[in-house]
Amino acid sequence: MSNSKEVLQKAKGSWAQSWLKEPKLFYTNGNFQKPQGNRTWKVVNPSSEEVLCEVPIANAEDLNSVVKSANLAFTQGTWSEAPRKMRREALIRIGALVREHAEELATLESLANGKLFSESFIDDIPESADVFDYYAGWIDKIYGETVPVDPGFLNYTRKEPVGVCALLVPWNFPLLLACWKIAPALAMGNTVIVKPSEYTPLSVLRLAEIIHEKAQLPPGVFNVVTGDAETGKLISEHPQIHKVSFTGSTAVGKKVLTGSAQSNLKTVTLELGGKSPNILFADLPDLEAAIERSCTAMFSHKGEKCSEPTRILIEDSIYEKVITGLVERASKIRLGDAFQEGVDQGPQAHQAHYQKVLSYIELGLKEGAKLVCGGISEPGPQKGFFVRPTIFSEVKPEMRIAQEEIFGPVLVAIRFKTEEEAIPIANQTPYGLAAGLWTSDLSRAHRVAARLDSGMVFVNRYGCYDFASPFGGFKQSGWGKEMALHSLEAYTKTKSVWIKL
């Protein structure tokens, strides 16, 4: 495996090396700001375990300064009351800038997260750009209503921006999920404070530089702070922040909600964990295609996806064929540095998560599941946080590995005999983000989709996403939706106006 210097040279020549050496600052009020404290976080390359750089950890004084700037920009109306054409053109400009700097952003994404450069460059960055175009088109299409009240009055509603929106972004899709939040928030006239994960702040910091240099946003509209869990706590509890949009674990999401409740009851949107079922009925239209797609959806991006199909429920008559097909494909996956040619899977994003994934593999063995692929006994490269694609068969629905989110390349396979048996198994976890089913029976497809307690259901192709379709789950998978019109509703508030005639 290549060392960090070779990786940097291959990915972006001397640019990334030079950029990483530059001091990392907060971005607020249209300028870069030095931290008031001296705490820092070391950003580590998970492929090599080498430190890439250090970023400041925002303390209460830092955050107060950023919030003050964002509030001033909002109350002055430099963005919320700007002509809609100006806002639309600004979002389109940001999208174009992301495309222009795609290689840089993808390089930083893969250096900090460990996902393959091809996954960053082909999967993440184009969508990060396109989402700005999508929401730019919505800016002049959100209407209030005239309400049919009693005679003598005119009643109408107004859609207004929420205010200062704090956007807490996870480490698995750092830039993409940031843009999923930034675009609709700005489209509706809000000001934003983005806090990337401390593990993967690089691409968002570079985005701040790009926006500063070329996007022409009014000062205070777009702000970035870096920090750790304590910074996130300060954000959730801050009384001058009007909304928090958080993507991450369910445990942390509950803390965000508690912080909001204890401060100002700010609006909260939560996109949390998942333990998504993927049901293969024996009458599925194409067995090989189902196995191929299930394997790809499960193990791409090293299994660090909230909606990945981590529980595969297989009808008894095709169980062995499916397991054999999955093992055959998963065992061929090659692990290595995110920039290394011929590699199919990078490392887990950071050491603590790597240890967590390994602990669940050990737990699966203790619970009596049958390890048929991968596992701790099949290590990856000597350096880096690598976990081989792992498959457990003969898993019982009540086992912890079938109930708890692992968020890594660990798939559990569960047998079922009938549709009536499969649906309760699919629904019995605390999560309800996504679900999949494969069948040639159209009636069964509609029937099962209606009974699955999940925010998204994929029939005959697991993992379908579009900006026009809402993304989000039920139960402990979150509150509210990302994407589509539904995301815009989360960044607006409805005012009712009465006029006596």
Side-chain angles (χ1 to χ4, degrees):
M1 184 176 65
S2 53
N3 61 37
S4 287
K5 184 176 181 180
E6 291 171 337
V7 166
L8 290 170
Q9 290 284 2
K10 184 175 181 181
K12 190 58 180 173
S14 62
W15 175 84
Q17 296 182 66
S18 300
W19 187 87
L20 288 169
K21 292 176 183 178
E22 296 172 1
K24 301 298 176 278
L25 307 173
F26 307 132
Y27 183 68
T28 183
N29 200 31
N31 290 293
F32 293 93
Q33 175 179 300
K34 292 182 179 180
Q36 300 187 44
N38 56 12
R39 292 179 63 218
T40 61
W41 181 275
K42 293 180 179 179
V43 181
V44 174
N45 180 346
S47 292
S48 65
E49 303 182 46
E50 296 177 1
V51 175
L52 293 166
C53 65
E54 294 188 23
V55 297
I57 295 175
N59 60 22
E61 290 75 21
D62 293 316
L63 184 62
N64 286 338
S65 175
V66 176
V67 173
K68 181 179 179 181
S69 174
N71 256 305
L72 183 62
F74 181 72
T75 56
Q76 288 181 338
T78 56
W79 182 251
S80 61
E81 297 175 15
R84 291 170 298 174
K85 181 181 178 182
M86 171 188 161
R87 295 210 310 267
R88 181 172 64 249
E89 290 177 347
L91 263 64
I92 292 172
R93 193 159 51 243
I94 294 172
L97 289 169
V98 171
R99 294 185 193 96
E100 180 183 335
H101 295 269
E103 189 175 343
E104 297 172 7
L105 293 166
T107 296
L108 298 177
E109 198 82 329
S110 290
L111 282 172
N113 171 275
K115 67 174 64 186
L116 301 183
F117 178 77
S118 59
E119 291 176 323
S120 295
F121 188 72
I122 297 172
D123 296 346
D124 296 2
I125 304 305
E127 287 203 13
S128 299
D130 292 348
V131 72
F132 286 98
D133 292 342
Y134 177 79
Y135 281 111
W138 270 108
I139 289 174
D140 57 1
K141 298 176 181 65
I142 300 298
Y143 296 85
E145 303 163 312
T146 301
V147 183
V149 296
D150 288 340
F153 294 92
L154 171 66
N155 179 237
Y156 63 91
T157 63
R158 288 172 46 89
K159 291 290 187 180
E160 300 181 353
V162 174
V164 177
C165 299
L167 313 177
L168 307 183
V169 184
W171 45 256
N172 60 329
F173 290 87
L175 186 65
L176 177 60
L177 296 186
C179 293
W180 275 22
K181 300 175 188 296
I182 296 166
L186 291 183
M188 293 297 96
N190 300 282
T191 59
V192 302
I193 301 170
V194 186
K195 192 199 88 67
S197 166
E198 59 268 39
Y199 295 104
T200 55
L202 304 184
S203 57
V204 173
L205 288 172
R206 179 58 184 146
L207 178 66
E209 294 176 352
I210 294 167
I211 287 176
H212 173 73
E213 294 164 3
K214 301 179 180 180
Q216 304 168 23
L217 294 180
V221 170
F222 177 79
N223 309 272
V224 174
V225 296
T226 53
D228 57 6
E230 180 59 30
T231 309
K233 182 174 184 291
L234 292 171
I235 287 173
S236 66
E237 295 176 352
H238 203 290
Q240 273 78 54
I241 292 175
H242 307 112
K243 175 183 175 60
V244 172
S245 177
F246 169 80
T247 299
S249 71
T250 298
V252 177
K254 291 178 179 179
K255 293 180 181 179
V256 170
L257 193 59
T258 299
S260 168
Q262 292 176 346
S263 57
N264 60 342
L265 281 177
K266 58 179 62 67
T267 303
V268 176
T269 302
L270 303 172
E271 202 280 284
L272 307 177
K275 193 70 177 177
S276 300
N278 182 23
I279 309 171
L280 274 62
F281 290 101
D283 66 350
L284 52 75
D286 186 331
L287 180 64
E288 291 301 312
I291 295 171
E292 181 69 29
R293 179 60 190 172
S294 297
C295 190
T296 299
M298 174 62 217
F299 294 116
S300 62
H301 292 263
K302 57 270 191 6
E304 293 173 344
K305 307 186 297 296
C306 56
S307 60
E308 65 184 346
T310 52
R311 292 183 296 146
I312 187 163
L313 281 57
I314 310 167
E315 191 166 347
D316 194 64
S317 62
I318 60 171
Y319 187 88
E320 297 301 335
K321 287 183 179 179
V322 173
I323 294 296
T324 298
L326 289 169
V327 170
E328 179 182 344
R329 288 165 174 78
S331 62
K332 293 178 181 178
I333 292 176
R334 296 158 295 184
L335 275 60
D337 190 287
F339 299 90
Q340 185 177 334
E341 292 183 10
V343 166
D344 304 307
Q345 179 183 308
Q348 307 310 128
H350 58 86
Q351 186 174 24
H353 184 60
Y354 165 73
Q355 295 295 342
K356 173 190 171 184
V357 175
L358 293 184
S359 72
Y360 271 105
I361 295 174
E362 292 178 347
L363 176 63
L365 294 170
K366 291 178 181 178
E367 289 185 309
K370 182 180 179 182
L371 182 67
V372 294
C373 182
I376 300 171
S377 62
E378 292 190 34
Q382 291 184 345
K383 282 188 176 182
F385 309 131
F386 293 91
V387 178
R388 283 214 56 81
T390 297
I391 301 173
F392 283 102
S393 69
E394 308 304 335
V395 174
K396 304 300 181 185
E398 65 273 10
M399 290 181 177
R400 284 180 58 193
I401 60 169
Q403 289 289 315
E404 300 175 14
E405 185 178 42
I406 301 173
F407 211 65
V410 181
L411 175 65
V412 300
I414 302 171
R415 290 180 186 264
F416 71 90
K417 293 182 178 179
T418 66
E419 179 182 316
E420 289 302 315
E421 181 186 6
I423 293 172
I425 294 173
N427 287 338
Q428 74 176 55
T429 74
Y431 301 102
L433 182 54
L437 67 111
W438 303 74
T439 179
S440 294
D441 185 334
L442 183 60
S443 295
R444 167 179 275 170
H446 286 293
R447 184 170 63 242
V448 175
R451 295 181 63 188
L452 290 171
D453 197 7
S454 299
M456 299 176 287
V457 178
F458 309 115
V459 179
N460 290 340
R461 189 193 185 276
Y462 194 99
C464 304
Y465 307 103
D466 192 289
F467 296 142
S469 178
F471 182 102
F474 301 159
K475 298 188 287 187
Q476 293 192 41
S477 287
W479 283 6
K481 300 291 184 181
E482 301 276 8
M483 309 315 303
L485 173 64
H486 308 77
S487 185
L488 295 176
E489 293 171 352
Y491 291 105
T492 56
K493 55 189 179 185
T494 302
K495 177 182 290 182
S496 175
V497 179
W498 287 80
I499 298 177
K500 188 177 186 308
L501 301 177

